Amino acid sequence: MATTLAKLPWFADARDLDLSKFERRVNWKRYDEGEVVVDFEDVSDDVFFISSGDLRVLIRTAAGKEIILAEPKGGEFFGELAAIDETPRSANVTALTRAELCIVPAAAFRELVLSSPTLARKLMRLLATRVRELNQRLAEHTLLDVRHRLYSELLRLSRKRAGHGDKPVVSPPPYHHVLAARIGCRREQVTRELSALVHEGLVTKAKGAVVIENADELRARIAHALREGA
């Protein structure tokens, strides 16, 4: 467990701020797998910094359909919107694994950011990045069919991994129902499209991973579909 703000990645380069003044204003808490950290319409406005563990952020429609927005990991944080605009929570956040979080009250978070140009710039860049990502996802959901949305999501989830050369890898391999919740479709559609990718040789399944054999081809297909859709 990090136990101090200075050991959290987001504060690592905040040399223009005396973090020790804020230590007594934050709390550290452990969450078990499956435990809800915040829920829809909660009136809390704390900001949560992840010391360790994996979490899932999702929204749920009135009909009960779940849409996964993000899966933040150690070193990231969430909840800043409620701290900024003081409105109820817009999503559910649940621990996927045992997690250790630093809980920063909204007033302390705002003071930290406003007292440090370094943190203020980092927050502005982060919010700008998230807006761009949301714009990209909106374009995909508006212009692309399920097949091409799946291509985009696989590329987004992939990372370079030792033992696979320069090929991007999705590890661990995501459950089909999770991919479906991320791109807004049914699990059966994901299963069908993944099978087609394997048949074409564009994707292979390895131990503990899905290997993207030809990322350039997937990107080319996405670009073509976006042009056609536009």
Side-chain angles (χ1 to χ4, degrees):
M1 198 167 185
T3 69
T4 64
L5 289 172
K7 291 185 178 180
L8 293 169
W10 201 66
F11 296 101
D13 56 354
R15 300 181 183 88
D16 53 357
L17 190 63
D18 182 4
L19 293 172
S20 65
K21 296 179 180 179
F22 295 87
E23 294 293 351
R24 292 186 179 181
R25 299 171 65 181
V26 307
N27 294 305
W28 296 84
K29 184 176 179 179
R30 289 185 171 91
Y31 291 84
D32 292 325
E33 178 182 347
E35 188 173 353
V36 173
V37 180
V38 297
D39 208 352
F40 309 98
E41 302 300 325
D42 279 357
V43 294
S44 65
D45 55 6
D46 299 324
V47 182
F48 296 81
F49 288 82
I50 307 172
S51 173
S52 65
D54 300 336
L55 296 97
R56 175 172 291 161
V57 183
L58 59 81
I59 58 175
R60 187 178 295 115
T61 68
K65 181 178 180 181
E66 294 183 347
I67 302 171
I68 297 173
L69 301 179
E71 292 184 343
K73 303 178 183 298
E76 300 181 63
F77 68 94
F78 60 90
E80 73 284 351
L81 294 184
I84 293 171
D85 62 12
E86 301 177 308
T87 58
R89 303 289 184 180
S90 58
N92 167 284
V93 183
T94 299
L96 294 178
T97 65
R98 279 185 57 84
E100 297 171 330
L101 307 181
C102 176
I103 305 172
V104 182
F109 177 76
R110 291 193 293 266
E111 188 176 337
L112 279 162
V113 172
L114 293 175
S115 301
S116 167
T118 299
L119 294 183
R121 285 192 296 269
K122 288 179 72 171
L123 182 60
M124 287 190 289
R125 285 196 297 268
L126 175 68
L127 293 177
T129 297
R130 290 183 178 175
V131 169
R132 293 179 192 278
E133 290 176 350
L134 286 172
N135 288 343
Q136 179 64 31
R137 285 181 177 272
L138 176 60
E140 290 174 4
H141 278 266
T142 302
L143 301 173
L144 299 181
D145 58 16
V146 169
R147 174 176 301 172
H148 292 86
R149 295 205 302 273
L150 179 60
Y151 296 169
S152 292
E153 195 63 27
L154 289 174
L155 290 171
R156 243 191 308 270
L157 292 172
S158 66
R159 300 289 185 274
K160 297 293 178 63
R161 184 182 177 189
H164 295 280
D166 291 331
K167 297 174 182 176
V169 171
V170 183
S171 180
Y175 292 111
H176 292 189
H177 74 274
V178 171
L179 280 173
R182 293 181 71 98
I183 65 175
C185 70
R186 299 189 305 276
R187 177 183 58 80
E188 295 80 7
Q189 292 173 289
V190 169
T191 299
R192 182 175 64 248
E193 296 301 338
L194 278 175
S195 296
L197 284 171
V198 172
H199 180 73
E200 289 185 84
L202 294 172
V203 161
T204 58
K205 296 180 179 180
K207 184 177 181 180
V210 172
V211 182
I212 300 177
E213 299 289 345
N214 193 339
D216 288 341
E217 173 62 20
L218 295 187
R219 294 189 188 98
R221 292 184 181 188
I222 294 166
H224 176 75
L226 287 171
R227 288 195 299 270
E228 291 295 311

